[in-house]
Amino acid sequence: MRVPDAKVALSTASVYPESTATAFEIAARLGYDGVEVMVWTDPVSQDIEALRRLSDYHRVPILAVHAPCLLITQRVWSTDPWVKLQRARAAAEKLGASTVVVHPPFRWQRGYARGFVEGIWRMADETDVRFAVENMYPWRYRDREMLAYAPNWDVTHDDYRHFTVDLSHTSTARTDGLAMVDRMGDRLAHVHLADGKGSGKDEHLVPGRGDQPCAALLERLAAGGFDGHVVIEVNTRRAMSSAEREADLAEALAFTRLHLASSRTSRP
């Protein structure tokens, strides 16, 4: 049995509504290889020194930083989206994280969207940190669809150095996740692992509880010697207790490690 070099990390978003600090504690207790910090309204997620202390105390490395790209984080780390990315890069460099995850712009961020592809290349040229642009999805309400992201929710239509694939987002977009991974090719640097059932909402189910090719993707990564990070980014808001939330995150970790273990032997 061969296990690839990919590390399995816990997104701090996976413990919401509990805190960033709680995510470090759970990651350490369950044996995750590290965390991805979702920078959002929790002040600790925005504080580099507080994050460093948590990482050192729990002996859990910070492998990635998710830039504040959500609607609720429009004022986190400035209202200027380029400043947000600069601060995310600085945080990653200081914390030893190899990746900054970034969403494509909202369509109403016209100036930002117009120069986004070129700007991401320019920032990537200034650092060893990978800027991994994440696939999104159309917004739907009843029978109506709105294209909320620019240049495109399907980031493979544009030229980026590195990609993040999110299987909950492929589910919401009702697109073929493995075909998207094929289009990303060797530029796939980062994985957000979660499941979905094709709902109009971004579900972020525990892997194995939906219809996305979570197992097939992990096995493909193992066979290809993927050396990026696989990040568990699931929604545990409906957990009735902290124990139930932790059980979900333990199940997600076990599923991921099982399918990353490949029976294929390396060829000389």
Side-chain angles (χ1 to χ4, degrees), residues 174-240:
R174 297 169 189 164
T175 193
D176 185 328
L178 292 181
M180 178 171 283
V181 167
D182 285 340
R183 294 195 297 276
M184 291 178 174
D186 60 8
R187 291 183 291 172
L188 175 63
H190 202 70
V191 175
H192 279 172
L193 193 69
D195 218 328
K197 296 181 179 178
S199 165
K201 297 180 180 179
D202 187 13
E203 297 169 289
H204 283 274
L205 304 178
V206 171
R209 297 184 185 177
D211 58 17
Q212 291 302 290
C214 296
L217 173 59
L218 292 170
E219 290 162 9
R220 180 181 295 191
L221 295 177
F226 179 71
D227 63 355
H229 304 320
V230 178
V231 179
I232 303 300
E233 190 183 74
V234 297
N235 183 347
T236 63
R237 280 176 286 182
R238 294 188 178 181
M240 300 301 291

Side-chain angles (χ1 to χ4, degrees), residues 118-246:
E118 296 80 6
I120 290 294
W121 271 99
R122 186 167 55 251
M123 292 191 73
D125 284 338
E126 297 170 351
T127 180
D128 291 332
V129 173
R130 296 175 172 181
F131 282 87
V133 186
E134 182 175 4
N135 63 296
M136 299 305 290
Y137 47 84
W139 289 4
R140 295 188 179 91
Y141 178 71
R142 295 181 179 173
D143 295 329
R144 301 182 66 182
E145 184 175 286
M146 183 177 99
L147 300 179
Y149 299 96
N152 203 294
W153 62 264
D154 181 348
V155 293
T156 63
H157 288 293
D158 294 290
D159 181 25
Y160 299 109
R161 181 174 293 172
H162 295 111
F163 292 111
T164 296
V165 70
D166 184 309
L167 289 187
S168 178
H169 294 175
T170 60
S171 174
T172 307
R174 297 169 189 164
T175 193
D176 185 328
L178 292 181
M180 178 171 283
V181 167
D182 285 340
R183 294 195 297 276
M184 291 178 174
D186 60 8
R187 291 183 291 172
L188 175 63
H190 202 70
V191 175
H192 279 172
L193 193 69
D195 218 328
K197 296 181 179 178
S199 165
K201 297 180 180 179
D202 187 13
E203 297 169 289
H204 283 274
L205 304 178
V206 171
R209 297 184 185 177
D211 58 17
Q212 291 302 290
C214 296
L217 173 59
L218 292 170
E219 290 162 9
R220 180 181 295 191
L221 295 177
F226 179 71
D227 63 355
H229 304 320
V230 178
V231 179
I232 303 300
E233 190 183 74
V234 297
N235 183 347
T236 63
R237 280 176 286 182
R238 294 188 178 181
M240 300 301 291
S241 65
S242 296
E244 184 177 330
R245 173 172 292 109
E246 193 162 325

Side-chain angles (χ1 to χ4, degrees), residues 1-13:
M1 180 172 288
R2 179 171 62 88
V3 179
D5 293 333
K7 290 182 169 60
V8 183
L10 178 65
S11 168
T12 59

